[in-house]
Protein backbone atom coordinates (compact mmCIF):
# COMPACT_ATOMS: atom_id res chain seq x y z
CA UNK A 1 0.00 0.00 0.00
CA UNK A 2 2.70 2.50 1.03
CA UNK A 3 6.33 2.22 -0.04
CA UNK A 4 9.24 4.54 0.72
CA UNK A 5 12.38 3.65 -1.23
CA UNK A 6 15.82 5.09 -0.41
CA UNK A 7 14.38 8.42 0.75
CA UNK A 8 16.76 11.28 1.57
CA UNK A 9 15.13 14.42 2.98
CA UNK A 10 16.81 17.72 3.83
CA UNK A 11 15.95 20.95 5.62
CA UNK A 12 18.19 23.31 3.70
CA UNK A 13 21.73 21.91 4.08
CA UNK A 14 20.74 19.66 7.02
CA UNK A 15 19.96 16.05 6.14
CA UNK A 16 17.07 14.73 8.23
CA UNK A 17 16.46 11.36 6.55
CA UNK A 18 19.09 9.12 5.01
CA UNK A 19 18.25 6.14 2.81
CA UNK A 20 14.91 5.45 4.52
CA UNK A 21 12.93 2.53 3.08
CA UNK A 22 9.73 1.15 4.61
CA UNK A 23 6.43 -0.41 3.60
CA UNK A 24 2.90 -0.64 4.95
CA UNK A 25 0.68 -3.40 3.58
CA UNK A 26 -3.10 -3.26 3.35
CA UNK A 27 -4.71 -3.95 6.71
CA UNK A 28 -1.47 -3.63 8.72
CA UNK A 29 -0.57 -1.61 11.77
CA UNK A 30 3.08 -0.61 11.48
CA UNK A 31 5.08 1.33 14.07
CA UNK A 32 7.83 3.81 13.31
CA UNK A 33 9.82 4.18 16.52
CA UNK A 34 12.68 6.28 17.82
CA UNK A 35 13.70 9.02 20.20
CA UNK A 36 13.44 12.77 19.87
CA UNK A 37 14.87 14.35 16.70
CA UNK A 38 15.50 10.98 15.04
CA UNK A 39 13.45 11.77 11.93
CA UNK A 40 10.03 10.27 12.74
CA UNK A 41 8.02 13.43 12.11
CA UNK A 42 10.09 14.23 9.01
CA UNK A 43 9.19 10.79 7.63
CA UNK A 44 5.52 11.59 8.16
CA UNK A 45 5.89 15.03 6.56
CA UNK A 46 7.68 13.46 3.59
CA UNK A 47 4.83 10.98 3.06
CA UNK A 48 2.27 13.80 3.26
CA UNK A 49 4.13 16.08 0.88
CA UNK A 50 4.86 18.73 3.49
CA UNK A 51 8.57 18.34 2.71
CA UNK A 52 10.01 16.88 -0.49
CA UNK A 53 12.65 14.16 -0.62
CA UNK A 54 15.78 15.19 -2.44
CA UNK A 55 16.32 11.58 -3.49
CA UNK A 56 14.20 8.45 -3.37
CA UNK A 57 10.50 7.81 -3.97
CA UNK A 58 7.23 7.60 -2.04
CA UNK A 59 4.51 5.43 -3.59
CA UNK A 60 0.93 4.83 -2.49
CA UNK A 61 -1.23 2.15 -4.09
CA UNK A 62 1.37 1.80 -6.84
CA UNK A 63 1.41 5.50 -7.71
CA UNK A 64 4.29 7.84 -7.02
CA UNK A 65 3.13 10.68 -4.74
CA UNK A 66 6.30 12.46 -3.61
CA UNK A 67 5.76 15.31 -6.09
CA UNK A 68 2.04 15.74 -5.48
CA UNK A 69 0.55 18.57 -3.38
CA UNK A 70 -0.60 17.51 0.08
CA UNK A 71 -4.27 17.98 -0.84
CA UNK A 72 -3.95 15.42 -3.65
CA UNK A 73 -2.16 13.01 -1.32
CA UNK A 74 -5.10 13.22 1.11
CA UNK A 75 -7.52 12.70 -1.78
CA UNK A 76 -5.58 9.59 -2.79
CA UNK A 77 -6.47 7.97 0.55
CA UNK A 78 -3.93 9.02 3.21
CA UNK A 79 -5.09 10.98 6.26
CA UNK A 80 -2.93 12.32 9.11
CA UNK A 81 -3.54 12.63 12.82
CA UNK A 82 -0.99 15.29 13.61
CA UNK A 83 1.26 15.65 16.64
CA UNK A 84 -0.42 17.71 19.40
CA UNK A 85 -3.79 17.15 17.68
CA UNK A 86 -3.75 20.49 15.74
CA UNK A 87 -7.51 20.98 15.89
CA UNK A 88 -9.06 24.27 14.84
CA UNK A 89 -9.46 25.65 18.39
CA UNK A 90 -12.23 28.17 17.70
CA UNK A 91 -14.36 25.80 15.66
CA UNK A 92 -16.76 23.40 17.31
CA UNK A 93 -16.17 19.65 17.41
CA UNK A 94 -18.78 19.24 14.66
CA UNK A 95 -17.09 21.88 12.50
CA UNK A 96 -13.71 20.19 12.97
CA UNK A 97 -15.20 16.96 11.64
CA UNK A 98 -16.57 18.78 8.61
CA UNK A 99 -13.06 20.12 7.94
CA UNK A 100 -11.87 16.51 7.79
CA UNK A 101 -14.26 15.96 4.88
CA UNK A 102 -13.17 19.06 2.93
CA UNK A 103 -12.10 16.98 -0.09
CA UNK A 104 -15.52 15.31 -0.34
CA UNK A 105 -18.72 16.44 -2.08
CA UNK A 106 -21.11 13.66 -1.00
CA UNK A 107 -23.29 15.44 1.57
CA UNK A 108 -25.33 12.34 2.47
CA UNK A 109 -22.18 10.27 2.96
CA UNK A 110 -20.66 12.98 5.16
CA UNK A 111 -23.77 12.99 7.35
CA UNK A 112 -23.61 9.20 7.63
CA UNK A 113 -19.94 9.33 8.57
CA UNK A 114 -20.56 11.93 11.28
CA UNK A 115 -23.10 9.53 12.80
CA UNK A 116 -20.51 6.76 12.55
CA UNK A 117 -17.91 8.93 14.31
CA UNK A 118 -20.43 9.68 17.08
CA UNK A 119 -20.82 5.93 17.64
CA UNK A 120 -17.07 5.26 17.53
CA UNK A 121 -16.09 8.30 19.62
CA UNK A 122 -18.83 9.19 22.15
CA UNK A 123 -17.10 12.49 22.96
CA UNK A 124 -17.86 13.65 19.41
CA UNK A 125 -21.58 13.44 20.13
CA UNK A 126 -21.38 14.64 23.72
CA UNK A 127 -19.27 17.72 22.88
CA UNK A 128 -20.48 18.34 19.34
CA UNK A 129 -21.25 22.06 19.89
CA UNK A 130 -18.29 22.83 22.14
CA UNK A 131 -15.26 24.69 20.89
CA UNK A 132 -12.34 22.32 20.37
CA UNK A 133 -10.16 24.50 22.61
CA UNK A 134 -12.36 23.65 25.61
CA UNK A 135 -11.69 19.90 25.43
CA UNK A 136 -9.09 17.97 27.43
CA UNK A 137 -6.03 16.58 25.65
CA UNK A 138 -7.51 13.11 25.50
CA UNK A 139 -10.82 14.39 24.15
CA UNK A 140 -8.99 16.43 21.52
CA UNK A 141 -7.10 13.30 20.43
CA UNK A 142 -10.42 11.51 19.89
CA UNK A 143 -11.72 14.39 17.79
CA UNK A 144 -8.47 14.50 15.78
CA UNK A 145 -8.83 10.80 14.98
CA UNK A 146 -12.48 11.24 14.03
CA UNK A 147 -11.61 14.22 11.83
CA UNK A 148 -9.00 12.15 9.96
CA UNK A 149 -11.46 9.30 9.40
CA UNK A 150 -13.94 11.74 7.85
CA UNK A 151 -11.69 11.70 4.77
CA UNK A 152 -12.44 7.96 4.39
CA UNK A 153 -8.73 7.10 4.21
CA UNK A 154 -7.18 3.80 3.20
CA UNK A 155 -4.15 4.65 5.36
CA UNK A 156 -4.07 6.60 8.63
CA UNK A 157 -0.75 8.12 9.73
CA UNK A 158 -0.62 9.03 13.42
CA UNK A 159 2.16 11.25 14.75
CA UNK A 160 2.83 10.66 18.48
CA UNK A 161 -0.79 9.77 19.42
CA UNK A 162 0.16 9.18 23.08
CA UNK A 163 1.94 12.52 23.56
CA UNK A 164 0.67 14.51 26.54
CA UNK A 165 -2.10 12.08 27.43
CA UNK A 166 -2.88 10.52 30.80
CA UNK A 167 -2.28 6.75 31.05
CA UNK A 168 -6.04 6.15 30.88
CA UNK A 169 -6.38 8.01 27.62
CA UNK A 170 -3.26 6.37 26.17
CA UNK A 171 -4.88 2.96 26.67
CA UNK A 172 -8.15 4.22 25.16
CA UNK A 173 -6.43 5.72 22.11
CA UNK A 174 -4.53 2.53 21.32
CA UNK A 175 -7.67 0.43 21.77
CA UNK A 176 -9.48 2.66 19.28
CA UNK A 177 -6.60 2.40 16.81
CA UNK A 178 -7.06 -1.38 16.88
CA UNK A 179 -10.81 -0.98 16.41
CA UNK A 180 -10.32 1.33 13.43
CA UNK A 181 -7.91 -1.14 11.88
CA UNK A 182 -10.04 -4.19 12.53
CA UNK A 183 -13.57 -2.88 11.87
CA UNK A 184 -12.92 -0.09 9.36
CA UNK A 185 -10.18 -1.94 7.46
CA UNK A 186 -7.88 1.08 7.63
CA UNK A 187 -4.13 0.47 7.62
CA UNK A 188 -2.24 2.48 10.25
CA UNK A 189 1.30 3.83 10.45
CA UNK A 190 2.03 4.94 14.04
CA UNK A 191 4.91 7.37 14.48
CA UNK A 192 5.58 6.99 18.20
CA UNK A 193 8.07 7.25 21.06
CA UNK A 194 6.07 4.92 23.32
CA UNK A 195 7.58 1.73 21.93
CA UNK A 196 5.92 -0.54 24.49
CA UNK A 197 2.41 0.53 23.53
CA UNK A 198 3.06 0.78 19.80
CA UNK A 199 4.57 -2.70 19.54
CA UNK A 200 1.67 -4.17 21.51
CA UNK A 201 -0.76 -3.42 18.67
CA UNK A 202 1.55 -3.39 15.61
CA UNK A 203 2.42 -6.31 13.37
CA UNK A 204 5.80 -4.86 12.37
CA UNK A 205 8.06 -2.02 13.39
CA UNK A 206 10.91 0.15 12.15
CA UNK A 207 13.38 1.97 14.41
CA UNK A 208 14.92 5.28 13.34
CA UNK A 209 18.16 6.71 14.71
CA UNK A 210 19.57 10.02 13.42
CA UNK A 211 17.50 9.76 10.27
CA UNK A 212 18.31 6.15 9.36
CA UNK A 213 16.42 2.86 9.79
CA UNK A 214 18.56 0.77 12.14
CA UNK A 215 16.10 -2.03 12.96
CA UNK A 216 13.15 -3.58 11.14
CA UNK A 217 11.35 -6.72 12.28
CA UNK A 218 8.08 -8.14 13.50
CA UNK A 219 6.72 -6.47 16.61
CA UNK A 220 7.31 -9.62 18.64
CA UNK A 221 10.94 -9.90 17.56
CA UNK A 222 11.56 -6.22 18.26
CA UNK A 223 10.13 -6.58 21.77
CA UNK A 224 12.58 -9.43 22.38
CA UNK A 225 15.58 -7.72 20.77
CA UNK A 226 18.18 -6.94 23.50
CA UNK A 227 19.22 -3.65 21.88
CA UNK A 228 15.59 -2.61 21.57
CA UNK A 229 14.87 -3.57 25.16
CA UNK A 230 17.78 -1.55 26.47
CA UNK A 231 17.31 1.54 24.33
CA UNK A 232 13.52 1.88 24.08
CA UNK A 233 11.63 -0.59 26.26
CA UNK A 234 13.12 0.19 29.66
CA UNK A 235 14.54 -3.30 30.19
CA UNK A 236 17.94 -3.35 31.92
Amino acid sequence: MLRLTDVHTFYGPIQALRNVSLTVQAGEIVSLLGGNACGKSTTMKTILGLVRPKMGTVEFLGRRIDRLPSSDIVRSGIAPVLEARRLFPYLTVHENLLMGAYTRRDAAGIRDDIERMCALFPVVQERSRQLASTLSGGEQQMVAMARALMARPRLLIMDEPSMGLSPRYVDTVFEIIQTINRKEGVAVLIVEQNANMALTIASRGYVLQTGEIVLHDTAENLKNNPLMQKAYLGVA
Side-chain angles (χ1 to χ4, degrees), residues 165-200:
L165 302 186
S166 68
R168 179 175 68 88
Y169 266 117
V170 170
D171 290 341
T172 300
V173 164
F174 278 90
E175 287 171 7
I176 291 176
I177 292 170
Q178 289 179 286
T179 299
I180 291 168
N181 174 254
R182 185 172 60 251
K183 292 187 176 180
E184 305 283 330
V186 177
V188 185
L189 175 62
I190 304 174
V191 179
E192 181 60 76
Q193 283 194 70
N194 188 337
N196 276 306
M197 286 298 298
L199 291 175
T200 298

Side-chain angles (χ1 to χ4, degrees), residues 93-103 110 114 147 150:
V93 167
H94 180 78
E95 290 166 339
N96 268 275
L97 262 61
L98 291 177
M99 292 301 293
Y102 82 98
T103 62
I110 290 170
I114 288 177
R147 181 180 63 180
M150 287 298 297

